Amino acid sequence: MKLEYTDQASRQDVLSVDDVKAYLRIEGDEENAVLASLIAAAQRYCEDYQHRTYGLLTLRLTVPTADAQTDIELPRSKNLNEVTNLTVRWPSGKEQLIDNYTLRYGEINTRLRVEEMLPADADLVIDYRVKGECDESTLLAMRLLVASWYENRLAADDRNRKEAPFAVTALLNPGRVLL
């Protein structure tokens, strides 16, 4: 099973550069590009830590069809917006669209069941969009991460290696989905 982020152009950051600049008390626009990349990295870190998605995001899940004979749990799909593509991809690269499937919505994730026989030697490719919520504690954790990374821009080595600040994990733990 392989999960990828797709359509990065439509990805929405939940923090703005202006918000982070105010938090860090930065004036001017010289650091905007650096801050934008730190914001994206902090959001990805928090999403990965909590096993959740914030904002609108398109994901692609690739599953060997041998593993897809029962329900497939779509990671980070609690707030599933839509399944945009469901195809079988053969080793030759040929693809076939599948439109006969059902969705079961759960408290943590959505499950997908293909209602037709699948070949044993191919991959099932599922593209889906999710829209997640982000609470104030998570936004604060992102600001703390950006601040920490902004202040410590050196490459990690034995002298300056640091983990995420304890406050970040303390803020993220209550919203963490345990798998």
Side-chain angles (χ1 to χ4, degrees):
M1 188 179 321
K2 177 179 168 189
L3 180 67
E4 304 170 83
Y5 295 93
T6 61
D7 194 16
Q8 291 294 327
S10 71
R11 181 179 175 83
Q12 297 174 341
D13 290 329
V14 294
L15 282 179
S16 70
V17 170
D18 289 337
D19 178 47
V20 170
K21 283 169 60 175
Y23 182 77
L24 295 174
R25 298 184 181 145
I26 295 174
E27 295 179 8
D29 296 333
E30 303 82 31
E31 300 288 332
N32 283 7
V34 171
L35 292 174
S37 65
L38 293 175
I39 290 168
Q43 182 169 328
R44 178 67 61 83
Y45 177 92
C46 293
E47 287 175 338
D48 288 346
Y49 186 84
Q50 287 191 316
H51 306 288
R52 299 175 64 172
T53 300
Y54 322 124
L56 189 60
L57 183 64
T58 303
L59 299 162
R60 171 172 286 163
L61 181 66
T62 304
V63 181
T65 53
D67 298 338
Q69 301 303 327
T70 60
D71 288 358
I72 302 162
E73 185 170 343
L74 303 177
R76 300 185 180 183
S77 62
K78 179 179 180 182
N79 298 314
L80 181 72
N81 197 351
E82 65 179 324
V83 173
T84 57
N85 182 45
L86 181 60
T87 56
V88 171
R89 182 184 304 145
W90 278 270
S92 66
K94 180 185 169 198
E95 293 188 356
Q96 175 187 347
L97 187 64
I98 305 270
D99 57 5
N100 191 9
Y101 63 90
T102 56
L103 297 171
R104 284 191 12 233
Y105 298 92
E107 286 193 34
I108 296 176
N109 283 322
T110 302
R111 293 175 118 15
L112 180 139
R113 176 180 291 240
V114 177
E115 301 293 344
E116 55 190 76
M117 292 298 294
L118 296 171
D121 60 343
D123 287 331
L124 186 65
V125 180
I126 308 160
D127 292 335
Y128 57 101
R129 294 173 66 87
V130 293
K131 181 165 179 58
E133 302 295 323
C134 187
D135 62 16
E136 283 300 317
S137 296
T138 303
L139 291 173
L140 180 56
M142 284 186 216
R143 288 184 194 105
L144 289 171
L145 276 173
V146 170
S148 175
W149 294 338
Y150 181 78
E151 295 298 326
N152 301 291
R153 297 190 208 190
L154 299 175
D157 62 20
D158 288 337
R159 292 175 306 199
N160 64 4
R161 183 178 354 156
K162 290 186 178 182
E163 292 184 22
F166 174 74
V168 170
T169 55
L171 288 165
L172 293 176
N173 274 337
R176 190 172 192 189
V177 176
L178 299 176
L179 303 176

